[in-house]
Amino acid sequence: MVLHKKLEEGSFLTRIVDRTFVHDNKRWIVDYKSSQPEKGESLEDFLSREKQQYLLQLSDYFKMFVKLESLPIIAGLYFPLIS
């Protein structure tokens, strides 16, 4: 899904959402990531780093959907390469 947010006159922010769906009357926003922990890095440290790195991106998605609908929103990262 492609979202556009007007920043100022003639200027827009475009975001491409990997996956979004409604389940149990909640809007889910899922951003897929192919990254994995670096050698020797704990899963906890990796997830903390990734969360910090992508917080602004997920916040943008969240803010855009808040303006589109009134459903509760859950946004998160999904790492399909990590079991």
Side-chain angles (χ1 to χ4, degrees):
M1 170 177 249
V2 178
L3 298 171
H4 301 283
K5 175 182 174 185
K6 189 170 187 172
L7 299 176
E8 56 187 58
E9 191 62 37
S11 178
F12 291 88
L13 174 68
T14 300
R15 293 288 189 214
I16 300 173
V17 178
D18 290 339
R19 176 92 165 99
T20 184
F21 57 92
V22 174
H23 179 70
D24 288 338
N25 208 34
K26 293 180 182 107
R27 165 68 58 189
W28 286 79
I29 304 168
V30 182
D31 192 37
Y32 290 84
K33 297 297 176 197
S34 60
S35 52
Q36 298 181 49
E38 296 174 6
K39 188 174 182 177
E41 182 179 28
S42 73
L43 182 58
E44 183 178 310
D45 288 344
F46 166 75
L47 293 175
S48 178
R49 179 171 48 85
E50 293 290 298
K51 180 180 174 182
Q52 183 177 358
Q53 181 174 347
Y54 294 106
L55 183 60
L56 180 60
Q57 179 182 350
L58 287 174
S59 294
D60 282 345
Y61 295 162
F62 184 91
K63 290 172 190 174
M64 290 174 166
F65 271 99
V66 163
K67 291 181 179 183
L68 294 174
E69 62 190 13
S70 61
L71 292 174
I73 299 171
I74 300 170
L77 303 172
Y78 176 54
F79 300 90
L81 300 177
I82 299 175
S83 52

